[in-house]
Structure formats: structure tokens, C-alpha cells
Amino acid sequence: MRRWRGLDEVPEGRGRSVVTLGVFDGVHRGHQRVLARAAGTASGLGLPVVAAVFDPHPDAVLGRGEPEALTGADRKAELLAEHGADAVRVLPFTPELARLPAEEFVRRVLADRLRAAAVVVGEDFRFGSGAAGDVEVLRALGGKYGFTVEEVPLLSDGEAVTSARVRSLLAAGDVAAARDCLGRAHRVEGVVVHGAARGRELLGFPTANLDCPPRTAVPADGVYAGRLLRSAPGGAESRWAAAISVGTNPTFEGTARTVEAYALDRDDLDLYGLRMAVEFTHRIRPMLRFDSVEELVETMGRDVERCRELLLGG
Ligand SMILES: Cc1cc2nc3c(=O)[nH]c(=O)nc-3n(C[C@H](O)[C@H](O)[C@H](O)COP(=O)(O)O)c2cc1C
Ligand SMILES: Nc1ncnc2c1ncn2[C@@H]1O[C@H](COP(=O)(O)OP(=O)(O)O)[C@@H](O)[C@H]1O
């Protein structure tokens, strides 16, 4: 898969493409449907699918506050490819780009740079200065600049599947509903760092503490079942069923919010310094402050058994 960044870096003289564009945060089932449609059109035309991704999030540039990210840039590109993109183009969302009138945007980005033969977008797609352009405007401009436009209805299960909805489900700890919207478990990534060294010694449950990038969409504080994963060079992955804790460890009067995972039945791992990921499949309970370490350890033991049932079938 090819990845380019910027408006000027795409080599000139490339052929035409089927373009789908947006922020694609989370690459949720709605995005997946748009990508599938683009892939279908592209195979009919014998052209590649180019996913054009605005980055940073337009809300950050337009002063609406940057939302927490469901997917980092690398993971997003990987997911876009998995769902049918042949190439990913990052379009730096600058104030200048935001100010381009709808027709200028179409001419410069879609026609001149991406050489779109077809553009596939969700029905709520907006573009151009002041978000003045919608799908109808895009279709009219497509007639002038030589591309067709396909509009994909929003996927809904009574409520539209959107990145904002996934963020609010995660903020409420509802990782199961988030999983339904995403079509897979929500994942956060980070490097394993040293914690307070209590896990193994004091509690009997060593935990890998993930240092997640700022503005990562971490689910609400609580205890979850899921997986701890490691991407090895070449793409091979190790994965372990895991009991995951998100919170400040109030039993120890902690203040820093941590994401930590205990890989079930393993105490022989050395994960410090590795890039790892945690996937959240089920919520088990809220984060609690216990009066004694014994009560915490007893509860953690029960959490681990519950994770075993949920993840390994007992
Ligand atoms: C399954 C599980 C459940 C946990 N539940 C709680 C909890 O309810 N309250 C709490 O204060 N800490 C909880 N923790 C976090 C522990 O306090 C934390 O893992 C421990 O202090 C080790 O920290 P360290 O990795 O910084 O050494 C939990 C951890 C795990 C793995
Ligand atoms: N089953 C396991 N799950 C997670 N980490 C493990 C496991 N077994 C060993 N480890 C290692 O032990 C470290 C955690 O030990 P812990 O005593 O909790 O220390 P820390 O406070 O630094 O997190 C992890 O970072 C990892 O390298």
C-alpha cells in the first residue's frame, strides 16, 4: 500500500483513481461501508481506491476542540487498507485548506491532485469554506471536473454509527456497544513503561502499563476483559487474554490515570519498552477504592476468573 502526505507530494503523472475522503477516525462500520462501495466501483473501472484522510481533525483547526482519537495514524492506514484502500493520502487540514471555497477544493484536490474518476462519500459529507459544499454541490462540480459521485447512506441501528457516537460509548465504559459500531474491539496503543512495581510483588498480578499518546480515546475508568497484543516485526502478533484496569488506582491514592493489563496465567513476560496494544471487549466493573490490599487482591482474583470465562470459555 502507498502512503503520501501533503498536497504536493503525490508524484505527477499518476493515473486516475476512485477517491473516498474524510477523517475516518475509528474506521467504523459506516466507514467500512463507504470503503466497500469505493472498492466495488474501483474494480468495475479497473482503478485503485485512494482514501484521502484529513489530518489533523478539522474540529481541531476550526476551533471546535480536538476530539480524542479512536485510531492513531498508522493503525488507521492499516484498517483503511484492510477494508479496501489501495493507497492512503493524508491531506493536512490547514486553515488555508479550510478556507478554500468548495469549487477550489474540488479543482485543486480532487481533480488536479487526486485525479478522481469517481468520488465516494457518506451522505453527511461536507466540504469547502464554511462547510458550504454538500453531496449535491459535489455532484454538480463532478459534472464540470469529470468525476462521478456516489453517496452512501449513513449506517444506522436506530442511531447513526459515527465516530462521535463511539467516543461517547467509550466515555461511558460501554465497550461492547463500541465494538458493535466498530465491527471489532476498540484498541489503544502505547509503549510499556514502569509503574509503581506493586503488581508482581505486592498483588501477584504483574501488569503492563501502557503510555498512550495524548488525546487517545481511553474507555471510562473501570475493569475490563480484553486482550494484550504485541506487533512483532513482519506483522506477526502475540496476543494474550487479559484483565485490564483503567484508572488512578484509588486504593493506593494514585493520581495518574493508567491503562494496565495483566496477561492471564503469564508471569514470565518482559514487556518494558515494547510497543503494545490493549483491546477492550467487555466491561466488568467500575474502579473501586478498597480499604485493604487483601480486598483488592481478592477482587482482582475474581476479575481474572470472570475474564477467563468471557474470553476463554471458562
Ligand atoms: C483486573 C484488575 C483490577 C483492578 N482493580 C482495581 C481497583 O478496583 N482499585 C484499584 O485501586 N486498583 C485496581 N487495579 C490496579 C492495581 O491497583 C494496580 O494494578 C497495581 O497498583 C499495580 O500498579 P503498578 O503496575 O503501577 O505496579 C486493578 C488491576 C487489575 C489488573
Ligand atoms: N502476565 C503479565 N502481564 C503483564 N505484564 C507482565 C506479565 N508478566 C510479566 N509482566 C512484566 O511485568 C511488568 C509489570 O510488573 P509490575 O510489578 O506490575 O510492575 P510495574 O509497576 O512496572 O508495572 C510488565 O511491564 C511486564 O514487563
Side-chain angles (χ1 to χ4, degrees):
M1 203 211 9
R2 304 296 308 271
R3 272 174 84 181
W4 296 288
R5 204 185 157 81
L7 276 181
D8 300 318
E9 288 173 23
V10 177
E12 295 291 348
R14 290 188 60 83
R16 304 190 75 192
S17 58
V18 173
V19 174
T20 176
L21 74 168
V23 179
F24 292 108
D25 189 26
V27 194
H28 55 60
R29 288 197 303 122
H31 295 138
Q32 292 167 24
R33 180 143 102 165
V34 173
L35 288 159
R37 172 76 83 87
T41 299
S43 80
L45 294 172
L47 295 175
V49 174
V50 174
V53 179
F54 294 120
D55 180 68
H57 197 292
D59 286 357
V61 175
L62 299 172
R64 293 196 285 252
E66 187 179 0
E68 289 183 337
L70 300 171
T71 40
D74 291 345
R75 175 73 176 143
K76 189 188 287 187
E78 189 178 288
L79 288 166
L80 289 168
E82 226 169 77
H83 290 283
D86 297 298
V88 174
R89 269 299 304 279
V90 176
L91 299 178
F93 196 88
T94 57
E96 295 71 50
L97 187 84
R99 270 197 301 272
L100 288 183
E103 179 159 358
E104 268 302 279
F105 175 83
V106 164
R107 187 176 64 75
R108 280 166 56 171
V109 179
L110 294 176
D112 293 352
R113 282 289 159 188
L114 296 171
R115 307 203 50 212
V119 176
V120 182
V121 290
E123 70 176 77
D124 63 343
F125 181 69
R126 289 277 183 291
F127 68 104
S129 171
D134 60 10
V135 178
E136 277 323 301
V137 173
L138 187 62
R139 192 164 277 136
L141 290 168
K144 181 165 170 187
Y145 290 97
F147 57 83
T148 58
V149 172
E150 289 174 49
E151 172 182 359
V152 179
L154 286 188
L155 182 70
S156 171
D157 53 17
E159 193 183 335
V161 173
T162 63
S163 305
R165 178 171 166 204
V166 178
R167 283 184 206 106
S168 75
L169 289 168
L170 293 172
D174 194 347
V175 296
R179 181 161 50 126
D180 290 341
C181 290
L182 291 170
R184 58 173 197 281
H186 177 58
R187 181 186 287 195
V188 303
E189 298 173 308
V191 173
V192 178
V193 294
H194 285 270
R198 273 185 304 249
R200 186 198 297 271
E201 297 297 325
L202 182 67
L203 307 175
F205 297 100
T207 54
N209 295 29
L210 254 56
D211 183 22
C212 303
R215 308 222 50 77
T216 295
V218 172
D221 288 6
V223 177
Y224 299 88
R227 283 179 287 274
L228 177 63
L229 303 97
R230 157 153 207 234
S231 304
E237 273 187 347
S238 318
R239 53 177 73 215
W240 300 278
I244 306 157
S245 160
V246 177
T248 58
N249 301 346
T251 305
F252 301 98
E253 323 258 305
T255 50
R257 189 168 184 240
T258 63
V259 177
E260 26 183 301
Y262 164 66
L264 266 54
D265 306 323
R266 302 296 299 252
D267 58 10
D268 55 339
L269 304 172
D270 183 5
L271 307 174
Y272 290 121
L274 298 179
R275 262 200 86 72
M276 305 279 296
V278 161
E279 288 183 352
F280 299 85
T281 56
H282 308 77
R283 181 172 171 91
I284 294 183
R285 64 172 174 88
M287 177 70 15
L288 300 170
R289 183 185 183 289
F290 292 95
D291 292 332
S292 70
V293 169
E294 291 69 33
E295 281 175 84
L296 169 62
V297 171
E298 203 180 300
T299 310
M300 286 172 76
R302 279 201 297 274
D303 295 334
V304 167
E305 288 320 305
R306 182 79 187 115
C307 289
R308 198 188 305 285
E309 279 165 29
L310 290 167
L311 302 165
L312 305 171

